[in-house]
Amino acid sequence: MSDANDVAERDWTDKSIKESERKKRDRILPDGVVLELMRKSDWEGCKRLFSNLSFLALTAYAIHRLDLFPAVRDAHTFDDVRAILLSDKMLVFVPLYIFYGFQVSAANISHTYNATSLLTLLRYASNLFQMQCLAFAGGHELLHGGAFKTKWMNTVAAFFVSTAFFEVLWHEKFNHKQHHIYTLDVHKDPELTSFYSRKELDNLKFKSVPESRYGYLRAFVNVLSYFKHRLCRLVSSAMGVVTDYTGTGYSMTSPRREEISEKVRSEIQFWSALQLAVYAALFSTVGQAAEGWKAMLFWWIVPNIVGYGPINYCRNAEHADCDLSPNQLHNTRTVESSFWMRECCWLLWETNFHAEHHAYPAVPFYNLPKLHELLDPHIKHNNCKTFRAQQLEMMKLGGWIDKQNN
Protein backbone atom coordinates (compact mmCIF):
# COMPACT_ATOMS: atom_id res chain seq x y z
CA MET A 1 0.00 0.00 0.00
CA SER A 2 1.40 3.39 -0.96
CA ASP A 3 1.95 6.07 1.67
CA ALA A 4 -0.82 8.20 0.13
CA ASN A 5 -3.33 5.32 0.23
CA ASP A 6 -2.26 4.43 3.75
CA VAL A 7 -2.87 7.98 4.98
CA ALA A 8 -6.23 8.09 3.23
CA GLU A 9 -7.25 4.80 4.85
CA ARG A 10 -6.33 6.06 8.33
CA ASP A 11 -7.85 9.51 7.89
CA TRP A 12 -11.21 8.86 9.51
CA THR A 13 -13.17 12.01 8.74
CA ASP A 14 -16.42 12.97 7.09
CA LYS A 15 -15.54 12.68 3.38
CA SER A 16 -18.60 14.74 2.45
CA ILE A 17 -16.74 17.82 3.73
CA LYS A 18 -14.14 19.18 1.32
CA GLU A 19 -10.57 19.34 2.58
CA SER A 20 -10.51 23.04 1.71
CA GLU A 21 -13.34 23.55 4.18
CA ARG A 22 -11.55 21.48 6.81
CA LYS A 23 -8.48 23.70 6.42
CA LYS A 24 -10.58 26.69 7.40
CA ARG A 25 -12.01 24.82 10.37
CA ASP A 26 -9.73 22.35 12.17
CA ARG A 27 -7.09 21.22 9.62
CA ILE A 28 -5.14 24.45 10.08
CA LEU A 29 -1.53 23.23 9.85
CA PRO A 30 0.59 23.32 6.66
CA ASP A 31 0.47 20.07 4.68
CA GLY A 32 4.22 19.57 4.86
CA VAL A 33 4.22 19.71 8.66
CA VAL A 34 1.35 17.25 8.92
CA LEU A 35 2.83 14.78 6.43
CA GLU A 36 6.05 14.71 8.44
CA LEU A 37 4.12 14.03 11.65
CA MET A 38 2.15 11.24 9.95
CA ARG A 39 5.27 9.13 9.36
CA LYS A 40 4.93 5.77 11.15
CA SER A 41 7.70 3.74 12.78
CA ASP A 42 7.97 0.06 13.63
CA TRP A 43 10.61 0.94 16.23
CA GLU A 44 8.33 3.34 18.09
CA GLY A 45 5.51 0.81 18.07
CA CYS A 46 7.73 -2.00 19.32
CA LYS A 47 9.28 0.21 21.97
CA ARG A 48 5.92 1.22 23.41
CA LEU A 49 4.24 -2.18 23.19
CA PHE A 50 7.13 -4.16 24.66
CA SER A 51 7.85 -1.62 27.39
CA ASN A 52 4.22 -1.95 28.46
CA LEU A 53 4.40 -5.73 28.32
CA SER A 54 7.70 -5.75 30.23
CA PHE A 55 6.17 -3.69 33.00
CA LEU A 56 3.29 -6.17 33.12
CA ALA A 57 5.75 -9.06 33.37
CA LEU A 58 7.63 -7.37 36.22
CA THR A 59 4.32 -6.78 37.95
CA ALA A 60 3.35 -10.43 37.57
CA TYR A 61 6.69 -11.45 39.07
CA ALA A 62 6.16 -9.07 41.97
CA ILE A 63 2.71 -10.54 42.59
CA HIS A 64 4.21 -14.01 42.53
CA ARG A 65 6.77 -12.97 45.15
CA LEU A 66 4.00 -11.54 47.31
CA ASP A 67 2.63 -15.10 47.53
CA LEU A 68 -1.04 -14.12 47.60
CA PHE A 69 -2.19 -16.61 44.99
CA PRO A 70 -1.67 -19.80 47.08
CA ALA A 71 -3.99 -18.42 49.74
CA VAL A 72 -6.60 -17.61 47.08
CA ARG A 73 -6.15 -20.98 45.37
CA ASP A 74 -6.56 -22.91 48.63
CA ALA A 75 -9.56 -20.93 49.85
CA HIS A 76 -12.57 -23.27 50.06
CA THR A 77 -14.84 -21.66 52.62
CA PHE A 78 -16.24 -18.23 53.34
CA ASP A 79 -13.96 -18.02 56.39
CA ASP A 80 -10.92 -18.59 54.15
CA VAL A 81 -12.00 -15.76 51.86
CA ARG A 82 -12.76 -13.49 54.80
CA ALA A 83 -9.30 -14.14 56.26
CA ILE A 84 -7.69 -13.08 52.97
CA LEU A 85 -9.82 -9.94 52.69
CA LEU A 86 -9.10 -8.94 56.29
CA SER A 87 -5.37 -9.58 56.15
CA ASP A 88 -2.93 -6.71 56.71
CA LYS A 89 -1.81 -6.90 53.10
CA MET A 90 -5.32 -6.20 51.87
CA LEU A 91 -5.53 -3.16 54.13
CA VAL A 92 -2.63 -1.76 52.15
CA PHE A 93 -3.73 -3.12 48.79
CA VAL A 94 -7.23 -1.61 48.74
CA PRO A 95 -6.35 2.08 49.22
CA LEU A 96 -3.38 1.76 46.88
CA TYR A 97 -5.64 0.28 44.24
CA ILE A 98 -8.34 2.93 44.64
CA PHE A 99 -5.89 5.81 44.58
CA TYR A 100 -3.59 4.47 41.92
CA GLY A 101 -2.73 7.29 39.53
CA PHE A 102 -3.04 9.89 42.26
CA GLN A 103 0.10 8.55 43.97
CA VAL A 104 -1.28 9.07 47.45
CA SER A 105 -1.67 6.83 50.49
CA ALA A 106 1.86 5.44 50.16
CA ALA A 107 3.42 8.15 52.29
CA ASN A 108 0.87 7.66 55.04
CA ILE A 109 1.33 3.91 55.40
CA SER A 110 4.97 3.33 54.55
CA HIS A 111 5.88 3.02 58.21
CA THR A 112 3.81 -0.18 58.48
CA TYR A 113 5.42 -2.25 55.74
CA ASN A 114 8.87 -2.52 54.28
CA ALA A 115 9.60 -0.91 50.94
CA THR A 116 9.68 -4.18 49.00
CA SER A 117 6.27 -5.26 50.22
CA LEU A 118 4.79 -1.83 49.56
CA LEU A 119 6.23 -1.65 46.06
CA THR A 120 4.91 -5.12 45.31
CA LEU A 121 1.41 -4.16 46.36
CA LEU A 122 1.58 -0.94 44.36
CA ARG A 123 2.66 -2.92 41.34
CA TYR A 124 -0.31 -5.26 41.74
CA ALA A 125 -2.62 -2.28 41.91
CA SER A 126 -1.02 -0.82 38.80
CA ASN A 127 -1.36 -4.15 37.03
CA LEU A 128 -5.14 -3.75 37.01
CA PHE A 129 -4.67 -0.34 35.38
CA GLN A 130 -1.97 -1.51 32.98
CA MET A 131 -4.11 -4.22 31.41
CA GLN A 132 -6.85 -1.78 30.51
CA CYS A 133 -4.26 0.77 29.34
CA LEU A 134 -3.15 -1.77 26.77
CA ALA A 135 -6.73 -2.72 25.94
CA PHE A 136 -8.05 0.84 25.68
CA ALA A 137 -5.05 2.95 24.65
CA GLY A 138 -2.80 0.42 22.94
CA GLY A 139 -5.77 -1.17 21.23
CA HIS A 140 -6.99 2.26 20.14
CA GLU A 141 -3.71 3.05 18.38
CA LEU A 142 -3.59 -0.39 16.79
CA LEU A 143 -7.11 -0.19 15.37
CA HIS A 144 -6.16 3.18 13.82
CA GLY A 145 -3.27 1.40 12.11
CA GLY A 146 -0.73 3.88 13.45
CA ALA A 147 1.25 1.83 15.96
CA PHE A 148 3.50 0.15 13.38
CA LYS A 149 4.63 1.06 9.88
CA THR A 150 4.48 -2.59 8.79
CA LYS A 151 0.83 -3.55 8.39
CA TRP A 152 1.14 -7.23 9.39
CA MET A 153 2.88 -6.24 12.62
CA ASN A 154 0.00 -3.93 13.41
CA THR A 155 -2.51 -6.71 12.69
CA VAL A 156 -0.70 -9.32 14.81
CA ALA A 157 -0.31 -6.91 17.72
CA ALA A 158 -3.97 -5.90 17.43
CA PHE A 159 -5.14 -9.50 17.61
CA PHE A 160 -2.88 -10.20 20.58
CA VAL A 161 -4.09 -7.13 22.52
CA SER A 162 -7.71 -7.81 21.59
CA THR A 163 -7.51 -11.41 22.80
CA ALA A 164 -5.31 -10.93 25.86
CA PHE A 165 -7.28 -8.01 27.29
CA PHE A 166 -10.85 -8.90 26.27
CA GLU A 167 -11.25 -6.21 23.65
CA VAL A 168 -13.06 -6.81 20.36
CA LEU A 169 -10.90 -4.55 18.24
CA TRP A 170 -12.41 -5.13 14.80
CA HIS A 171 -15.86 -4.36 16.19
CA GLU A 172 -14.30 -1.36 17.94
CA LYS A 173 -12.69 -0.28 14.66
CA PHE A 174 -16.10 0.02 12.97
CA ASN A 175 -17.73 1.90 15.84
CA HIS A 176 -14.72 4.09 16.55
CA LYS A 177 -14.53 5.15 12.93
CA GLN A 178 -18.16 6.26 13.21
CA HIS A 179 -17.25 8.19 16.36
CA HIS A 180 -14.50 10.05 14.47
CA ILE A 181 -16.67 10.87 11.48
CA TYR A 182 -19.71 11.91 13.55
CA THR A 183 -18.17 13.11 16.81
CA LEU A 184 -20.91 14.22 19.23
CA ASP A 185 -23.64 13.75 16.63
CA VAL A 186 -26.48 12.59 18.88
CA HIS A 187 -27.91 10.40 16.11
CA LYS A 188 -24.77 8.89 14.58
CA ASP A 189 -21.98 8.77 17.22
CA PRO A 190 -22.11 5.29 18.82
CA GLU A 191 -20.34 6.55 21.95
CA LEU A 192 -23.52 8.55 22.58
CA THR A 193 -26.30 6.49 21.01
CA SER A 194 -25.25 3.19 22.60
CA PHE A 195 -25.80 4.10 26.25
CA TYR A 196 -27.51 7.48 26.54
CA SER A 197 -31.30 7.49 26.33
CA ARG A 198 -33.07 9.37 23.57
CA LYS A 199 -34.43 11.76 26.20
CA GLU A 200 -30.90 12.60 27.35
CA LEU A 201 -29.61 13.09 23.81
CA ASP A 202 -32.51 15.31 22.84
CA ASN A 203 -31.82 17.59 25.80
CA LEU A 204 -30.60 20.89 24.32
CA LYS A 205 -28.26 21.23 27.33
CA PHE A 206 -26.65 17.82 26.75
CA LYS A 207 -22.95 17.95 27.65
CA SER A 208 -21.81 14.35 27.11
CA VAL A 209 -21.52 13.66 30.85
CA PRO A 210 -23.36 11.15 33.09
CA GLU A 211 -26.97 11.88 33.94
CA SER A 212 -26.19 12.27 37.65
CA ARG A 213 -23.42 12.10 40.25
CA TYR A 214 -24.59 8.60 41.04
CA GLY A 215 -24.17 7.71 37.37
CA TYR A 216 -20.68 9.20 37.43
CA LEU A 217 -19.66 7.08 40.44
CA ARG A 218 -21.37 3.97 39.06
CA ALA A 219 -19.12 4.11 35.99
CA PHE A 220 -16.12 3.37 38.23
CA VAL A 221 -17.62 0.33 39.98
CA ASN A 222 -20.04 -1.20 37.48
CA VAL A 223 -17.23 -3.26 35.98
CA LEU A 224 -19.28 -6.41 35.37
CA SER A 225 -21.51 -4.42 33.03
CA TYR A 226 -18.48 -3.42 30.92
CA PHE A 227 -17.40 -7.04 30.78
CA LYS A 228 -20.91 -8.20 29.80
CA HIS A 229 -21.07 -5.74 26.91
CA ARG A 230 -17.66 -6.86 25.65
CA LEU A 231 -18.76 -10.49 25.71
CA CYS A 232 -21.93 -9.55 23.83
CA ARG A 233 -19.88 -7.66 21.24
CA LEU A 234 -17.58 -10.64 20.78
CA VAL A 235 -20.35 -13.20 20.35
CA SER A 236 -22.50 -11.06 18.05
CA SER A 237 -19.47 -10.10 15.95
CA ALA A 238 -18.40 -13.76 15.63
CA MET A 239 -21.92 -14.47 14.34
CA GLY A 240 -21.57 -11.73 11.71
CA VAL A 241 -23.99 -9.35 13.41
CA VAL A 242 -22.66 -5.77 13.60
CA THR A 243 -23.79 -3.92 16.73
CA ASP A 244 -23.17 -0.70 18.59
CA TYR A 245 -21.24 -0.72 21.88
CA THR A 246 -24.01 -2.57 23.73
CA GLY A 247 -23.21 -5.70 21.75
CA THR A 248 -26.92 -6.38 21.33
CA GLY A 249 -28.46 -3.41 19.49
CA TYR A 250 -27.78 -0.96 16.69
CA SER A 251 -28.65 2.62 17.60
CA MET A 252 -26.99 4.80 14.91
CA THR A 253 -29.19 6.28 12.21
CA SER A 254 -26.33 6.25 9.70
CA PRO A 255 -25.07 4.07 8.27
CA ARG A 256 -28.00 1.71 8.63
CA ARG A 257 -27.02 -1.84 9.48
CA GLU A 258 -27.99 -3.11 6.01
CA GLU A 259 -25.71 -0.48 4.44
CA ILE A 260 -22.56 -1.87 6.07
CA SER A 261 -20.36 -3.41 3.38
CA GLU A 262 -19.79 -7.15 3.24
CA LYS A 263 -16.04 -6.50 3.46
CA VAL A 264 -16.40 -4.73 6.82
CA ARG A 265 -18.85 -7.33 8.14
CA SER A 266 -16.61 -10.24 7.07
CA GLU A 267 -13.52 -8.68 8.64
CA ILE A 268 -15.32 -8.18 11.97
CA GLN A 269 -16.68 -11.73 11.88
CA PHE A 270 -13.38 -13.41 10.95
CA TRP A 271 -11.25 -11.86 13.67
CA SER A 272 -13.94 -12.12 16.34
CA ALA A 273 -14.57 -15.80 15.55
CA LEU A 274 -10.81 -16.44 15.69
CA GLN A 275 -10.62 -14.68 19.06
CA LEU A 276 -13.54 -16.75 20.36
CA ALA A 277 -11.81 -19.92 19.15
CA VAL A 278 -8.66 -19.01 21.11
CA TYR A 279 -10.74 -18.59 24.28
CA ALA A 280 -12.50 -21.91 23.67
CA ALA A 281 -9.18 -23.71 23.25
CA LEU A 282 -7.68 -22.05 26.31
CA PHE A 283 -10.63 -22.66 28.61
CA SER A 284 -11.03 -26.26 27.46
CA THR A 285 -7.39 -27.06 28.28
CA VAL A 286 -6.23 -24.88 31.16
CA GLY A 287 -9.74 -24.74 32.58
CA GLN A 288 -10.23 -28.48 32.84
CA ALA A 289 -9.23 -28.44 36.52
CA ALA A 290 -10.42 -26.12 39.27
CA GLU A 291 -6.84 -24.94 39.88
CA GLY A 292 -6.55 -23.86 36.25
CA TRP A 293 -9.70 -21.77 36.52
CA LYS A 294 -8.49 -20.17 39.74
CA ALA A 295 -5.16 -19.30 38.14
CA MET A 296 -6.84 -17.74 35.11
CA LEU A 297 -9.21 -15.76 37.32
CA PHE A 298 -6.46 -14.45 39.60
CA TRP A 299 -3.79 -13.68 37.04
CA TRP A 300 -5.84 -12.71 34.00
CA ILE A 301 -9.62 -12.37 34.10
CA VAL A 302 -10.19 -10.50 37.38
CA PRO A 303 -7.43 -7.90 36.79
CA ASN A 304 -8.89 -7.20 33.36
CA ILE A 305 -12.39 -6.72 34.74
CA VAL A 306 -11.40 -4.63 37.76
CA GLY A 307 -9.19 -2.46 35.55
CA TYR A 308 -12.25 -1.03 33.77
CA GLY A 309 -12.84 1.26 36.74
CA PRO A 310 -9.49 3.07 36.92
CA ILE A 311 -9.22 3.57 33.16
CA ASN A 312 -12.53 5.42 33.22
CA TYR A 313 -10.78 8.22 35.13
CA CYS A 314 -8.72 8.96 32.02
CA ARG A 315 -11.44 8.69 29.39
CA ASN A 316 -14.76 9.89 30.83
CA ALA A 317 -14.39 13.57 29.90
CA GLU A 318 -12.84 13.45 26.43
CA HIS A 319 -15.82 15.35 24.97
CA ALA A 320 -17.47 16.68 28.14
CA ASP A 321 -19.06 20.14 27.90
CA CYS A 322 -17.79 20.61 24.34
CA ASP A 323 -19.55 22.01 21.29
CA LEU A 324 -21.96 19.72 19.47
CA SER A 325 -20.30 20.68 16.21
CA PRO A 326 -18.13 18.96 13.56
CA ASN A 327 -15.12 21.12 14.45
CA GLN A 328 -12.71 18.71 16.13
CA LEU A 329 -10.89 21.52 17.92
CA HIS A 330 -14.20 22.58 19.46
CA ASN A 331 -15.81 19.22 20.27
CA THR A 332 -12.90 17.47 22.01
CA ARG A 333 -10.70 18.11 25.04
CA THR A 334 -7.02 17.49 25.61
CA VAL A 335 -5.06 16.97 28.82
CA GLU A 336 -1.76 18.21 30.17
CA SER A 337 -1.14 16.80 33.60
CA SER A 338 1.24 16.29 36.49
CA PHE A 339 4.51 14.36 36.29
CA TRP A 340 2.85 11.22 37.66
CA MET A 341 -0.04 11.35 35.25
CA ARG A 342 2.35 12.01 32.36
CA GLU A 343 4.06 8.76 33.34
CA CYS A 344 0.67 7.11 33.18
CA CYS A 345 0.23 8.68 29.75
CA TRP A 346 3.20 6.59 28.60
CA LEU A 347 0.97 3.62 29.37
CA LEU A 348 -1.92 5.52 27.77
CA TRP A 349 -0.09 5.87 24.46
CA GLU A 350 -0.57 9.67 24.53
CA THR A 351 -4.37 9.37 24.21
CA ASN A 352 -4.55 12.35 26.58
CA PHE A 353 -3.87 14.54 23.51
CA HIS A 354 -7.35 13.78 22.31
CA ALA A 355 -8.33 16.93 20.43
CA GLU A 356 -5.11 16.70 18.43
CA HIS A 357 -5.86 13.07 17.62
CA HIS A 358 -9.39 13.90 16.46
CA ALA A 359 -8.17 16.70 14.21
CA TYR A 360 -5.45 14.53 12.63
CA PRO A 361 -6.28 10.85 13.33
CA ALA A 362 -3.55 9.60 10.97
CA VAL A 363 -0.78 11.05 13.17
CA PRO A 364 0.73 8.18 15.23
CA PHE A 365 0.71 8.33 19.02
CA TYR A 366 4.37 9.21 19.53
CA ASN A 367 4.01 12.42 17.50
CA LEU A 368 0.93 13.66 19.35
CA PRO A 369 3.02 15.70 21.86
CA LYS A 370 4.57 17.56 18.90
CA LEU A 371 1.13 18.04 17.37
CA HIS A 372 -0.10 19.34 20.71
CA GLU A 373 2.49 22.12 20.71
CA LEU A 374 1.18 23.32 17.35
CA LEU A 375 -2.55 22.99 18.00
CA ASP A 376 -2.92 23.81 21.69
CA PRO A 377 -3.61 27.56 21.19
CA HIS A 378 -6.45 26.65 18.82
CA ILE A 379 -8.29 24.17 21.07
CA LYS A 380 -11.43 25.87 22.31
CA HIS A 381 -12.17 23.98 25.54
CA ASN A 382 -8.83 24.35 27.26
CA ASN A 383 -10.06 25.37 30.70
CA CYS A 384 -9.59 21.96 32.37
CA LYS A 385 -6.12 20.72 31.46
CA THR A 386 -5.76 17.88 33.98
CA PHE A 387 -7.73 14.69 34.59
CA ARG A 388 -8.32 15.81 38.17
CA ALA A 389 -9.71 19.19 37.12
CA GLN A 390 -12.09 17.47 34.70
CA GLN A 391 -13.42 15.13 37.40
CA LEU A 392 -13.96 18.04 39.78
CA GLU A 393 -15.69 20.11 37.11
CA MET A 394 -18.04 17.24 36.42
CA MET A 395 -18.98 16.61 40.06
CA LYS A 396 -18.94 20.01 41.75
CA LEU A 397 -22.10 22.00 42.48
CA GLY A 398 -22.89 24.01 39.37
CA GLY A 399 -20.54 21.83 37.33
CA TRP A 400 -21.10 20.02 34.05
CA ILE A 401 -23.61 17.52 35.43
CA ASP A 402 -25.70 20.25 37.04
CA LYS A 403 -25.57 22.41 33.89
CA GLN A 404 -26.78 19.48 31.83
CA ASN A 405 -29.75 18.89 34.13
CA ASN A 406 -30.80 22.46 34.98
Side-chain angles (χ1 to χ4, degrees):
M1 182 183 295
S2 69
D3 288 345
N5 289 337
D6 179 51
V7 168
E9 184 180 87
R10 293 187 290 122
D11 188 22
W12 293 354
T13 59
D14 189 347
K15 297 301 190 291
S16 66
I17 301 175
K18 295 180 179 180
E19 187 64 18
S20 59
E21 293 300 314
R22 291 294 305 273
K23 286 181 178 295
K24 298 175 185 178
R25 192 182 74 191
D26 48 20
R27 293 281 178 89
I28 58 177
L29 299 179
D31 290 346
V33 172
V34 176
L35 287 173
E36 185 63 30
L37 290 174
M38 284 181 179
R39 292 183 183 276
K40 296 189 292 183
S41 165
D42 289 340
W43 164 244
E44 292 291 345
C46 287
K47 184 170 63 173
R48 186 64 58 95
L49 178 62
F50 286 104
S51 64
N52 281 193
L53 290 174
S54 297
F55 195 39
L56 267 176
L58 287 172
T59 306
Y61 177 72
I63 297 168
H64 172 71
R65 291 297 301 270
L66 185 60
D67 214 28
L68 277 175
F69 176 65
V72 174
R73 181 192 60 204
D74 298 334
H76 299 291
T77 67
F78 176 76
D79 288 338
D80 293 337
V81 175
R82 184 174 63 179
I84 295 171
L85 294 176
L86 295 178
S87 68
D88 290 344
K89 290 178 180 180
M90 290 302 295
L91 291 175
V92 179
F93 168 79
V94 171
L96 284 174
Y97 169 71
I98 293 174
F99 293 109
Y100 176 77
F102 297 95
Q103 300 296 323
V104 301
S105 300
N108 296 326
I109 55 179
S110 60
H111 64 279
T112 309
Y113 298 93
N114 63 50
T116 302
S117 178
L118 186 62
L119 181 60
T120 301
L121 289 164
L122 179 58
R123 283 176 175 170
Y124 182 72
S126 71
N127 191 39
L128 307 178
F129 186 77
Q130 292 168 55
M131 286 189 174
Q132 285 310 307
C133 281
L134 266 172
F136 161 61
H140 169 265
E141 189 64 24
L142 288 161
L143 67 86
H144 270 282
F148 296 92
K149 182 178 180 179
T150 304
K151 191 171 183 178
W152 71 262
M153 294 175 67
N154 203 89
T155 302
V156 169
F159 183 71
F160 166 74
V161 167
S162 187
T163 306
F165 305 113
F166 297 104
E167 267 290 356
V168 192
L169 282 184
W170 277 264
H171 172 279
E172 173 70 17
K173 181 180 178 179
F174 168 76
N175 280 273
H176 191 64
K177 185 174 183 178
Q178 296 305 115
H179 166 65
H180 267 271
I181 295 172
Y182 303 115
T183 306
L184 290 189
D185 185 314
V186 297
H187 299 285
K188 300 177 182 178
D189 183 348
E191 290 197 2
L192 302 182
T193 62
S194 296
F195 296 111
Y196 286 100
S197 70
R198 197 68 252 164
K199 180 180 178 181
E200 291 172 302
L201 293 175
D202 288 340
N203 177 8
L204 296 179
K205 296 181 180 179
F206 178 69
K207 295 185 178 297
S208 189
V209 296
E211 78 283 2
S212 65
R213 290 179 178 82
Y214 169 72
Y216 166 87
L217 295 172
R218 186 179 60 200
F220 288 94
V221 297
N222 196 19
V223 293
L224 290 178
S225 177
Y226 293 127
F227 192 62
K228 179 195 76 173
H229 287 301
R230 288 196 183 185
L231 287 179
C232 289
R233 296 199 290 263
L234 178 62
V235 173
S236 61
S237 296
M239 295 171 62
V241 179
V242 181
T243 68
D244 59 19
Y245 283 116
T246 63
T248 55
Y250 191 88
S251 54
M252 297 85 78
T253 60
S254 178
R256 295 192 300 273
R257 185 181 272 167
E258 59 270 21
E259 294 174 339
I260 300 170
S261 71
E262 185 59 33
K263 178 183 178 182
V264 170
R265 192 188 305 273
S266 297
E267 183 182 51
I268 293 173
Q269 183 174 18
F270 173 79
W271 289 106
S272 300
L274 186 59
Q275 184 171 333
L276 202 57
V278 171
Y279 292 147
L282 186 61
F283 293 149
S284 65
T285 52
V286 180
Q288 284 186 344
E291 284 197 4
W293 270 106
K294 288 181 179 180
M296 285 193 295
L297 284 168
F298 183 84
W299 293 104
W300 180 34
I301 299 174
V302 170
N304 262 300
I305 295 174
V306 178
Y308 296 151
I311 199 65
N312 194 56
Y313 177 78
C314 301
R315 62 180 296 185
N316 66 353
E318 291 173 338
H319 304 280
D321 194 37
C322 290
D323 297 9
L324 302 186
S325 84
N327 189 325
Q328 303 293 341
L329 299 179
H330 292 182
N331 64 25
T332 309
R333 290 185 175 275
T334 203
V335 169
E336 297 170 355
S337 203
S338 66
F339 168 78
W340 294 111
M341 285 312 300
R342 283 197 299 273
E343 293 305 302
C344 287
C345 290
W346 173 267
L347 297 175
L348 286 169
W349 295 57
E350 273 71 53
T351 54
N352 55 302
F353 298 122
H354 205 59
E356 296 83 350
H357 166 67
H358 264 261
Y360 293 98
V363 172
F365 68 96
Y366 56 87
N367 278 335
L368 288 177
K370 297 176 184 176
L371 186 59
H372 170 67
E373 293 178 5
L374 300 171
L375 287 181
D376 188 52
H378 306 282
I379 297 172
K380 180 177 180 179
H381 296 282
N382 249 344
N383 54 319
C384 294
K385 298 298 287 285
T386 67
F387 292 119
R388 178 175 176 271
Q390 291 178 353
Q391 309 307 307
L392 291 174
E393 193 63 37
M394 207 177 303
M395 288 288 284
K396 74 179 186 180
L397 291 175
W400 294 336
I401 291 176
D402 284 346
K403 289 177 181 177
Q404 178 174 266
N405 295 326
N406 297 329

